[in-house]
Amino acid sequence: MCGIIGVVGSSDTLSTLLEGLQRLEYRGYDSAGVALVRPGQTWRARAADGTQSVAALRLECEHAPSGFSSGIGHTRWATHGAPEAVNAHPHLDCSGNIAIIHNGIIENHSELQEQLESRGHVFTSVTDSEVLAHLIEEERAKGLELIDAVRQSLLIVRGAFALAVMDANEPDVIVAARRISPLVVGTSPGVTYLASDIPAILDKADVFYAVNDDEVVRLAPEGFRAVDLEGAPVRLHQLQIDWDLETAEKGGYDDFMTKEINEQPDALRATLLDRRHSDGTITFDELRISDQELREVKRVVLVAAGTSHHAAQVAKYAIERWASVSVEVDIASEYRYRDPIVEVGTLVIGVSQSGETIDTIMAIREAQRRGARVVAISNIVDSSLAREADAVIYTRAGLEVSVASTKAFVAQVAALELFALRLAQLRQTLAPSDIDALFQGLNAVSAQVAKTLTRRGDYESVAEQLLNTRDFFFLGRHVGFPTALEGALKLKELSYLHAEGYPAGELKHGPLALIEPGVVVVAITTDPNMHEKILSNLAEVKARGATVVAVATDDDEKIAAVADFVFRVPATEPMFTPMIDVVPLQIFAYAIARGLKHEIDRPRNLAKTVTVE
Ligand code: F6R
């Protein structure tokens, strides 16, 4: 989720790039860099200074030479390689003339790097992106124009990219291309721009165009031309933009939460990219615990807080079912105060979006003190949790700004379920064909979430009708239970209403006493194995006057008989349902909070990251 910007034909290139990068910081900020190009000279500056990277880059640029009318800039959200200046973009080829910036993930970078090194190329960073500079260098050496050299290079890379390339031997040209990661082009008289997002160039360009997947664009001061990967001309679609800067930073949405809810398909796709070799082996590049150790794991303990704790609870079902390892899930703030038992073979997994939550960090320290091996699941590269753990798996949801976590949750569930499949593969507790089918299914969730998002209006209209409710119960069974907990947490945080998540089977053991007319029960009914049981639980609450809202699959014909309102979702393998079923619950909580006129991105009393106990 990096931010990229480029400009050709400008009289104030450097300030355009730096201002644009400042506005792109919400896409990532762990390092930043620019390259300016003129005939025969490429000048580059890079800086890594945590959240202050763009400010640090400004200092680096104070003594930049003048007279450059073209350049590219990048603000990074690390996926491969630590957030250090050496890994910051732009990356250069061996000659130092070609500069590239890249947002996305090059899946086959290891094999490409090996081939390039065997042909004498020298790499200077630990990123997947640098291969692009060297591939393009080879194509340029064949005498190809920059646009053709980029095209040829892209034919051999797999993965996601929005990239921009310059070459001091073809100055005043930028070649940009896109697959999956966003890219726009903007024009004004005599100056042409590109950016990952509109805010970076909103006040500079007059007309904006969207670049589609597998399109390559050659930008020059007088305008641009676009082709597909085969070189056939294509027309870019002109965008109607009537946003102000603030709306633009939120991707045109009213708030970051809506933007982040809508980014969930991308968060899932990015988290799952590059995780399986061609022989079917599931891999985590960042995982530094040996296969043998994982084979010998006897018990897994997951520690986390809040939404991350709910993702961890989903993982318990997946790891136990697929890998036959016993799993415990602990609230991070409780773990270290309860004399936890750590035996040989105990693997502790700390799950945290920020990787800075004090409770989770203290829990893994306690686990390590007692001799456990620790894996971190973190959304932030090189977070404290990631650094302190023995190994790390990064979710790649991108920067999450809204306090209420949304896309981080689905990415955590995907990463943890992938880890469960890896354990099953190593321990041979599932047949390879089952692992294959589950892996395919997991990859299909992104599209199912995208389909679910198109039904936003249906979910919002239910919220409008229930705006006066004061008490909500969220019920689920199996993985529907952590989903119910997450739905209740979202509603509490945003609407400040009473909302409780319960395992549906527990209802009769006490909470049923609270059910009366006016109470709303939201039930997760998407798991066919649990369907009958949960329907009878719903009949019980309905008989006591509750209003029932059901999250149900498209093909569920029985639900209408018990539910007053239905949130329809696409059906999937039961273990994957939390990633889909949570979507209507997020939208429901959001719509209730909007209806009650609450602040969305910063609910009262809450902080994005809890760093005090
Ligand atoms: C809920 C929410 C919090 C966090 C919790 C843990 O929407 O955002 O409950 O999930 O504070 O934060 P991380 O995952 O950063 O450790």
Side-chain angles (χ1 to χ4, degrees):
M1 291 289 285
C2 311
I4 68 174
I5 179 169
V7 57
V8 267
S10 170
S11 54
D12 55 359
T13 306
L14 189 56
S15 59
T16 300
L17 295 177
L18 290 171
E19 276 168 34
L21 290 179
Q22 198 86 57
R23 290 189 196 138
L24 286 173
E25 276 188 312
Y26 64 88
R27 287 191 68 87
Y29 45 64
D30 59 42
S31 57
V34 291
L36 307 174
V37 175
R38 63 181 168 198
Q41 188 190 5
T42 297
W43 182 86
R44 173 176 69 165
R46 299 181 293 174
D49 190 7
T51 55
Q52 299 306 311
S53 294
V54 175
L57 178 66
R58 260 180 208 282
L59 291 177
E60 292 287 317
C61 288
E62 266 176 7
H63 304 293
S66 56
F68 288 89
S69 56
S70 309
I72 50 181
H74 187 273
T75 174
R76 181 166 184 250
W77 180 257
T79 53
H80 285 79
E84 293 163 1
V86 71
N87 291 326
H89 299 219
H91 293 291
L92 304 181
D93 71 331
C94 298
S95 72
N97 285 321
I98 297 174
I100 69 115
I101 50 175
H102 168 229
N103 169 32
I105 294 162
I106 304 299
E107 286 187 49
N108 52 341
H109 69 99
S110 311
E111 61 196 76
L112 290 173
Q113 178 163 347
E114 227 168 82
Q115 292 161 13
L116 286 159
E117 281 175 336
S118 73
R119 295 197 289 269
H121 291 266
V122 178
F123 281 70
T124 55
S125 73
V126 190
T127 64
D128 54 328
S129 309
E130 194 183 340
V131 293
L132 291 165
H134 298 279
L135 284 173
I136 295 164
E137 175 186 7
E138 288 201 342
E139 296 302 325
R140 287 284 281 156
K142 295 176 190 163
L144 295 182
E145 249 191 72
L146 189 57
I147 184 169
D148 295 321
V150 172
R151 245 180 358 87
Q152 292 302 329
S153 306
L154 294 180
L155 289 173
I156 51 176
V157 302
R158 291 200 312 270
F161 50 77
L163 75 140
V165 188
M166 300 196 78
D167 185 342
N169 293 318
E170 196 177 322
D172 268 343
V173 167
I174 300 179
V175 173
R178 169 197 180 163
R179 182 183 297 158
I180 299 176
S181 308
L183 182 65
V184 291
V185 167
T187 57
S188 68
V191 191
T192 308
Y193 304 87
L194 69 89
S196 46
D197 313 63
I198 303 229
I201 53 173
L202 186 68
D203 60 341
K204 303 282 180 197
D206 306 320
V207 190
F208 299 87
Y209 301 86
V211 181
N212 291 317
D213 279 356
D214 290 330
E215 289 178 348
V216 185
V217 191
R218 180 185 185 277
L219 289 75
E222 64 281 6
F224 65 87
R225 72 181 165 89
V227 294
D228 63 18
L229 282 185
E230 274 67 50
V234 291
R235 277 175 71 87
L236 297 192
H237 170 72
Q238 188 180 329
L239 295 166
Q240 298 302 321
I241 303 292
D242 48 10
W243 305 336
D244 59 19
L245 199 55
E246 202 194 330
T247 319
E249 279 181 356
K250 294 169 183 160
Y253 299 110
D254 290 345
D255 39 66
F256 281 105
M257 184 178 177
T258 309
K259 174 172 176 278
E260 287 157 11
I261 287 175
N262 281 289
E263 283 171 349
Q264 292 182 111
D266 289 345
L268 284 166
R269 221 163 16 176
T271 299
L272 296 172
L273 260 183
D274 195 17
R275 301 293 200 187
R276 201 167 67 145
H277 285 319
S278 44
D279 67 0
T281 313
I282 293 167
T283 59
F284 299 99
D285 269 1
E286 313 92 336
L287 195 59
R288 295 177 304 260
I289 285 187
S290 75
D291 287 354
Q292 193 51 32
E293 264 181 275
L294 289 178
R295 247 179 235 116
E296 287 167 6
V297 164
K298 297 208 167 38
R299 194 167 67 104
V300 171
V301 180
L302 292 136
V303 289
T307 289
S308 299
H309 182 255
H310 301 152
Q313 280 183 283
V314 175
K316 173 182 167 74
Y317 293 88
I319 297 171
E320 288 186 342
R321 172 156 305 168
W322 296 338
S324 281
V325 185
S326 119
V327 181
E328 260 174 62
V329 187
D330 232 316
I331 295 275
S333 55
E334 288 297 312
Y335 181 80
R336 79 176 168 130
Y337 296 112
R338 65 160 185 79
D339 297 318
I341 311 291
V342 172
E343 299 139 321
V344 178
T346 300
L347 181 74
V348 172
I349 306 182
V351 187
S352 171
Q353 186 283 128
S354 60
E356 303 297 343
T357 299
I358 188 76
D359 301 314
T360 312
I361 291 173
M362 298 311 272
I364 67 140
R365 282 187 191 161
E366 179 63 22
Q368 279 173 322
R369 202 179 64 77
R370 289 171 181 260
R373 293 284 274 164
V374 171
V375 174
I377 307 277
S378 168
N379 195 39
I380 311 263
V381 171
D382 261 13
S383 61
S384 305
L385 188 74
R387 287 197 310 273
E388 292 193 25
D390 299 297
V392 55
I393 300 168
Y394 289 118
T395 49
R396 301 179 188 136
L399 184 64
E400 195 177 63
V401 176
S402 178
V403 166
S405 186
T406 51
K407 60 179 180 171
F409 172 77
V410 295
Q412 286 168 340
V413 173
L416 284 161
E417 294 201 342
L418 199 65
F419 179 71
L421 286 178
R422 177 61 185 145
L423 274 185
Q425 198 166 49
L426 287 167
R427 299 161 64 85
Q428 298 182 343
T429 45
L430 281 181
S433 56
D434 290 339
I435 293 180
D436 197 52
L438 287 165
F439 185 78
Q440 305 297 344
L442 191 52
N443 274 286
V445 171
S446 161
Q448 289 163 322
V449 168
K451 187 170 175 191
T452 311
L453 286 168
T454 63
R455 301 172 181 181
R456 182 177 188 105
D458 300 348
Y459 310 145
E460 283 175 339
S461 80
V462 176
E464 271 163 36
Q465 294 171 69
L466 298 176
L467 214 50
N468 294 322
T469 311
R470 290 292 164 265
D471 280 305
F472 292 85
F473 279 84
F474 285 70
L475 304 181
R477 285 173 175 262
H478 196 261
V479 290
F481 167 45
T483 310
L485 290 174
E486 179 57 10
L489 179 62
K490 287 291 90 91
L491 189 60
K492 268 184 264 214
E493 288 181 282
L494 294 166
S495 70
Y496 318 147
L497 295 172
H498 169 242
E500 273 185 71
Y502 254 95
E506 265 299 285
L507 207 63
K508 286 208 254 323
H509 301 281
L512 198 56
L514 294 169
I515 303 296
E516 59 184 11
V519 172
V520 169
V521 171
V522 182
I524 318 298
T525 70
T526 49
D527 181 349
N529 306 320
M530 297 290 133
H531 196 253
E532 261 180 38
K533 289 252 167 2
I534 198 129
L535 255 55
S536 48
N537 296 137
L538 290 183
E540 287 155 16
V541 297
K542 211 163 159 51
R544 284 153 184 91
T547 302
V548 172
V549 181
V551 180
T553 54
D554 286 329
D555 56 358
D556 186 342
E557 287 166 3
K558 294 191 183 151
I559 199 68
V562 278
D564 299 285
F565 302 97
V566 183
F567 292 153
R568 291 284 176 185
V569 291
T572 184
E573 140 75 34
M575 210 65 91
F576 303 149
T577 54
M579 292 174 276
I580 296 170
D581 297 350
V582 76
V583 174
L585 304 184
Q586 294 165 342
I587 293 171
F588 180 67
Y590 173 92
I592 297 258
R594 273 295 282 249
L596 296 174
K597 306 213 173 341
H598 291 321
E599 158 71 39
I600 297 293
D601 287 331
R602 285 196 205 98
R604 71 181 183 199
N605 307 341
L606 300 178
K608 181 68 186 156
T609 304
V610 177
T611 52
V612 284
E613 269 197 272

